[in-house]
Amino acid sequence: MQVLLEQLASAAHTGGGGAWRRTWTDLSDGLMNDGVVADGAYAALPHLVEAAAVLSPGQTVDFWVDLGFMVTADYRPPVPADLEAGFGAALRLAERAATRSLLAAGTPGQDCAQLALACVALGGHHVGEVLWQFPDHRESGLLLSCPACGSDTEIPDFFVDPARPPLEAPLLPDPAEVREEGHPWGEAAAALREEALGEGWGPFLRVARDVAARGVSSETPGQAVLCLVAGMVAVRGTPQRAAGELARRLMSLTGHFRCWDCERTWPIADGLAEPPDGALSPHRPARTRTDSDESAVGAESAAAGRTGRAATRFRQEENAVIAADGTPWGRISVFSDSAVPGSSGGVDALAVVSRPGRPTLVGGGGDKGVVCLWDATDGRLVHDPLPGHPDAVRSMTTLPLRDGRVLLASGGDSGTIAVWDPLTGQPVREPAGDWPGGVTAMCTAVVPDGRTLLVTATPRGAVRMWEPDSGECVGRLNPYGSPIRSVTAVPISADHALIAASDTAGRVHMWDPAVDDPWDRGAAVQLSARALADGDHRVAAVETVLTTDRTMLATADHLGVVMLWDPATGAPVGDGLPSSTGTAGPPLITAATPHGGRTVLVAGTRHGHRLRVWEPETGAVRHIILDVSLTCLATAGADLIVGHDRGVLSFPLTRQ
């Protein structure tokens, strides 16, 4: 260390900038490695600062940026008491010298932005921490952390080059903190010309100039400091045109964002670098010039998705769902004995049995191969658990028959299929089948000749149609043999349904079970390949959506995106539900028409805790956070049925 310090001093004395950089590079690895600052750094850094401060400003840009990284690192030991005075003096010298480097012409725009952040970090402002997540110029998205609840909010396509400001300039507090005379930012104030960024940007440059004139202090609002950072890029970055574009993008960081989770609104600066304890307070966003521009932060729709509507957060408190305003929404019903006896407690498949004149029943199965039936109104177990599979139950569906009976079918992990009479709790016939990979999906198909058929699918690509009472296989679909993960029946008339399926490659298949030849498409229309490709939509789950005037198909992918399709044309309907933070993973999706007649889709992820309730007609989205790990979803009237790692619960989709 001593030898390297002597080499640095020699390089500074002789003016050898190249030698300085080489020596500093050798030394820096010993001072900080993988974001961890070494214990001896505080003793060495004052000597390094003294050596760098006498070099010409253009030679030490990299050094000051690296020093900014060190003083903002997450893992740095406390300064020893006997070194505090010397290290504090070194930081004051470093701030002055780094600011001189910032004012020197000829620094590329990206480097200029990092140097400006290093300067404010050396001055002790928390916004300097943005150095560690400074966006690459090739990236367009922005990830923010809520200062209150810690949830991440991702805003895609945030960084654009707006011709005019999409938001209003932040305001400095009055009176604002003013540093003592002799601070290093005075020359920066003179350099910040109001016309540097073009029409409309003058107010932002005025904020930047005011901050520089008063001197950056720990009390300066983070938004205002970011104005200064962006302003310095505009007037000192090169080449001038590219630096101006970067500066305008960075000015967008002076706006606000709304946390999708707790729904509080914060300055973006606080989502990038949390202020010191006690300095946090939510703010209302500045008025934006356009309501639809997601990059004009203050547009709360960025967190709620492309619908342009702010999300509403609901949460579980014991056995109740609580709305965002703290008022009760509805009571959670916990199904009795819903942890299947002898199992780990989880329920992996659900089906709802609706019978005219009788209570609606909910069937569920778990990892021990038994089926349970509950009364949907009170969660009461109506039969003893029904053993029917040698292993876990992975799929279920109901079979409304023409003679008025409604049967329940279940599929097991070893390929067994059981059909039950829910009224008596007895099997219609002995469980049959033994297909490798299990029965991972099933649905009911109605065909024009009056039959109701059970359709089953396996991950090895076998899609079969069965006569429910006899168990006879009466047809096959999926001639390509693609491994299937999800199926649903899509009615196109009262006596005719198509089958939609998603495979493990993310493709969607449409089949007509009314035709004998599986290669014959019949009435089936495939979804638009171009629309799927344009949206990079690799489908993992399909679900039928019935509205008052049409039938649609919903598709969901692992990113949380949900799209709606017209089965008659194969074209997408509307904009769909975009992904949002916390929605990635194996999708769960179900549809319902609660009181009021508007259809909603409920989307979540397997093993997640969050649900989104989306109303396609209006674009409204509600977020619900539960204290359980989700496994499957179903709906019974206006109630949502949730299978989870410990059993089954339900709650109303409309306020009670």
Side-chain angles (χ1 to χ4, degrees), residues 527-528 531 545 547 549-555 562-577 601 614 616-617:
L527 302 191
S528 168
V545 180
T547 68
D549 59 351
R550 67 194 304 186
T551 298
M552 293 182 287
L553 174 68
T555 58
V562 180
M563 295 183 67
L564 293 175
W565 306 82
D566 184 347
T569 64
V573 178
D575 292 334
L577 178 67
L601 273 78
W614 173 43
E617 184 177 341

Side-chain angles (χ1 to χ4, degrees), residues 47 91 109 234 252 306 315 347 396 410 416 427 488 563 582 610 620:
H47 301 285
L91 289 182
S252 296
R306 297 188 185 92
R315 66 186 185 278
V347 173
M396 302 188 81
S410 56
T416 52
T488 188
M563 295 183 67
R610 293 179 170 92

Side-chain angles (χ1 to χ4, degrees), residues 387-416:
H389 296 275
D391 49 15
V393 176
R394 293 302 181 210
S395 57
M396 302 188 81
T397 192
T398 53
L399 294 154
L401 304 181
R402 177 166 289 189
D403 61 10
R405 292 180 299 152
V406 180
L407 304 181
L408 176 68
S410 56
D413 235 4
S414 64
T416 52

Side-chain angles (χ1 to χ4, degrees), residues 480-535:
Y480 291 104
S482 303
I484 301 300
R485 63 171 68 183
S486 175
V487 296
T488 188
V490 185
I492 57 175
S493 68
D495 60 355
H496 193 182
L498 305 178
I499 303 300
S502 63
D503 64 26
T504 54
R507 296 168 299 206
V508 179
H509 306 269
M510 300 293 294
W511 301 305
D512 186 349
V515 297
D516 294 331
D517 184 354
W519 295 95
D520 185 351
R521 291 187 176 182
V525 176
Q526 304 304 311
L527 302 191
S528 168
R530 169 170 288 186
L532 289 166
D534 288 347

Side-chain angles (χ1 to χ4, degrees), residues 56-318:
S56 63
Q59 292 179 342
T60 52
V61 170
D62 293 342
F63 173 77
W64 303 123
V65 171
D66 288 345
L67 188 59
F69 276 108
M70 288 186 185
V71 301
T72 56
D74 285 337
Y75 305 102
R76 59 186 189 274
V79 181
D82 58 336
L83 297 178
E84 282 185 354
F87 185 68
L91 289 182
R92 291 190 293 273
L93 175 59
E95 183 190 16
R96 290 195 296 272
T99 305
R100 286 198 301 270
S101 290
L102 178 62
L103 288 165
T107 306
Q110 196 83 355
D111 296 340
C112 186
Q114 289 192 315
L115 178 58
L117 286 168
C119 289
V120 301
L122 295 171
H125 199 281
H126 69 278
V127 159
E129 297 173 8
V130 175
L131 269 168
W132 285 94
Q133 50 183 322
F134 190 75
D136 188 280
H137 68 280
R138 294 164 297 185
E139 298 177 355
S140 61
L142 183 67
L143 183 64
L144 302 167
S145 178
C146 176
C149 70
S151 294
D152 290 338
T153 293
E154 184 175 6
I155 307 176
D157 301 323
F158 175 87
F159 287 104
V160 297
D161 179 19
R164 292 176 57 84
L167 66 161
E168 292 183 348
L171 298 175
L172 282 173
D174 191 20
E177 180 79 11
V178 179
R179 282 180 64 174
E180 71 280 359
E181 189 174 347
H183 66 76
W185 291 95
E187 190 177 342
L192 289 161
R193 306 179 309 276
E194 290 186 22
E195 69 276 8
L197 287 179
E199 184 181 359
W201 294 98
F204 293 84
L205 273 298
R206 284 196 291 273
V207 171
R209 191 172 58 215
D210 288 346
V211 171
R214 300 177 186 190
V216 177
S217 74
S218 60
E219 303 299 321
T220 308
Q223 300 161 281
V225 174
L226 287 174
C227 278
L228 174 59
V229 170
M232 293 307 299
V233 172
V235 299
R236 284 295 183 261
T238 61
Q240 185 174 5
R241 180 171 181 175
E245 292 176 356
L246 175 60
R248 286 188 291 271
R249 292 197 296 269
L250 292 175
M251 281 297 186
S252 296
L253 296 174
T254 65
H256 295 76
F257 78 102
R258 179 171 180 160
C259 173
W260 75 271
D261 197 345
C262 70
E263 294 197 323
R264 299 171 77 181
T265 300
W266 303 91
I268 286 179
D270 293 350
L272 290 168
E274 185 174 325
D277 291 343
L280 285 171
S281 61
H283 299 267
R284 295 308 304 165
R287 179 181 56 82
T288 59
R289 297 202 175 197
T290 59
D291 293 333
S292 61
D293 187 354
E294 287 186 0
S295 68
V297 182
E300 299 176 3
S301 61
R306 297 188 185 92
T307 59
R309 305 208 174 238
T312 302
R313 179 180 181 268
F314 293 68
R315 66 186 185 278
Q316 178 181 352
E317 286 189 2
E318 296 182 349

Side-chain angles (χ1 to χ4, degrees), residues 28-39 73-77 132:
S28 61
D29 288 341
L31 297 177
M32 185 174 68
N33 187 21
D34 289 336
V36 180
V37 178
D39 291 336
D74 285 337
Y75 305 102
R76 59 186 189 274
W132 285 94

